Amino acid sequence: MRNYLLILLCILSSCFAVSAANNPTAEQQYEKASKLYKSGNYAEASMQYQNLVNDGKKSTALFFNLGNCYYKTGDYAKAILNYERAKKIAPADEDIEYNLKLANAKASDKIDPIPQLFYEKWWSIFITTFSPTEWSAFAIITLWIAAGMFLIYLFAKTVEKKKKSFYAATIIFGLSLCLFIVARSANRLIYNYSFAIIMDSSAYAKSAPDAKGTNLFLLHNGTKVEIVEEQEGWKKIKIANGNTGWMSNEALENI
């Protein structure tokens, strides 16, 4: 009987080992992809990283490394797409910004954006210095500090100490509110606007959501567009210079 149990345990162990080999964890897949990337096998590495993305995995490092793989293999549209996805998670990351500029330089379309007023540009730079999560964390920390100062005010035994703690609590509470506003603005800027990358080698923007619509302008793969409106099978896009048109869903991939 004991021998049968040992045989059964060996069989079960073998089954689990085969199952683990055929179904690696996300961490194992990521490590395998990273080894392939370091060895210069960018095409195979991109397939491994892409499988993780297809399975719903999201992280700055994953999108950044996948973008690097596509850049190395000359697929600049997919490189831009993944750098943009990485930037969405970590908007202040300098490495992502630098590689994105390199990839954008390879794109065919050079569209001059509508000039921003100096304060609009400054505000955009400022609120993307940190991610919305980080701004929210700063706001919560300052709120707790303000609460602590208010407690000191309540239990202070001298008038002077009460005054100082009250003023400190008021100022820090005001700072906390400002940080919450910045966090909300950063969240709206990064997440509440829908953008996509053109993946077709070339695609016309149409005057209407119809294949027979008039061709307005031609765009090429790697160009970033804003999604303004959606209808079945079509998206109304807006490019950096303000021009709008309709484009088939098949030509685009959302960031």
Side-chain angles (χ1 to χ4, degrees):
M1 187 66 175
R2 184 179 296 175
N3 290 335
Y4 287 123
L5 288 173
L6 288 172
I7 292 170
L8 181 60
L9 286 172
C10 288
I11 292 171
L12 289 172
S13 298
S14 299
C15 290
F16 283 127
V18 171
S19 177
N22 293 332
N23 300 285
T25 64
E27 290 77 11
Q28 290 171 329
Q29 283 183 276
Y30 185 84
E31 288 177 8
K32 180 181 179 181
S34 297
K35 287 179 182 178
L36 288 166
Y37 178 82
K38 290 175 182 177
S39 67
N41 192 346
Y42 303 119
E44 184 64 28
S46 66
M47 290 176 62
Q48 295 294 327
Y49 284 132
Q50 189 64 59
N51 286 338
L52 288 169
V53 174
N54 294 343
D55 288 340
K57 303 296 185 292
K58 297 179 182 180
S59 76
T60 305
L62 175 58
F63 289 133
F64 182 67
N65 290 347
L66 182 54
N68 288 340
C69 287
Y70 283 129
Y71 185 88
K72 294 286 188 180
T73 56
D75 194 337
Y76 301 118
K78 288 184 179 179
I80 291 169
L81 174 68
N82 284 282
Y83 288 145
E84 287 283 0
R85 285 174 173 173
K87 185 179 177 181
K88 198 170 184 178
I89 301 172
D93 191 296
E94 293 180 357
D95 291 334
I96 295 171
E97 186 65 32
Y98 178 77
N99 285 19
L100 180 57
K101 285 181 180 179
L102 291 178
N104 280 328
K106 301 289 186 179
S108 301
D109 298 324
K110 309 299 179 187
I111 303 169
D112 294 325
I114 299 173
Q116 283 185 307
L117 296 173
F118 77 93
Y119 61 85
E120 292 177 329
K121 187 175 182 180
W122 176 87
W123 179 247
S124 296
I125 293 171
F126 175 69
I127 65 175
T128 55
T129 303
F130 299 102
S131 69
T133 302
E134 290 169 326
W135 281 120
S136 297
F138 296 150
I140 291 169
I141 290 168
T142 53
L143 185 60
W144 276 107
I145 294 172
M149 296 305 298
F150 185 70
L151 286 174
I152 293 173
Y153 161 76
L154 290 178
F155 294 101
K157 294 182 178 180
T158 65
V159 175
E160 186 66 23
K161 200 169 185 179
K162 278 184 174 289
K163 282 183 178 180
K164 288 181 178 180
S165 56
F166 178 79
Y167 290 140
T170 303
I171 292 169
I172 296 171
F173 179 72
L175 176 61
S176 179
L177 290 179
C178 290
L179 288 171
F180 274 117
I181 291 170
V182 172
R184 184 171 179 272
S185 298
N187 187 75
R188 289 181 62 189
L189 180 65
I190 296 171
Y191 299 114
N192 286 13
Y193 293 96
S194 180
F195 292 91
I197 301 296
I198 294 175
M199 305 307 291
D200 281 1
S201 57
S202 61
Y204 277 103
K206 302 281 188 177
S207 60
D210 189 327
K212 296 180 181 179
T214 304
N215 294 333
L216 299 178
F217 48 89
L218 181 66
L219 297 174
H220 302 84
N221 60 346
T223 300
K224 182 180 178 181
V225 298
E226 182 182 347
I227 307 302
V228 178
E229 186 182 339
E230 295 189 43
Q231 288 191 21
E232 187 175 353
W234 292 84
K235 289 182 172 69
K236 188 176 184 179
I237 63 162
K238 182 179 180 181
I239 57 177
N241 63 9
N243 290 342
T244 61
W246 290 89
M247 193 167 284
S248 169
N249 285 349
E250 287 74 18
L252 304 162
E253 187 160 350
N254 285 0
I255 294 173

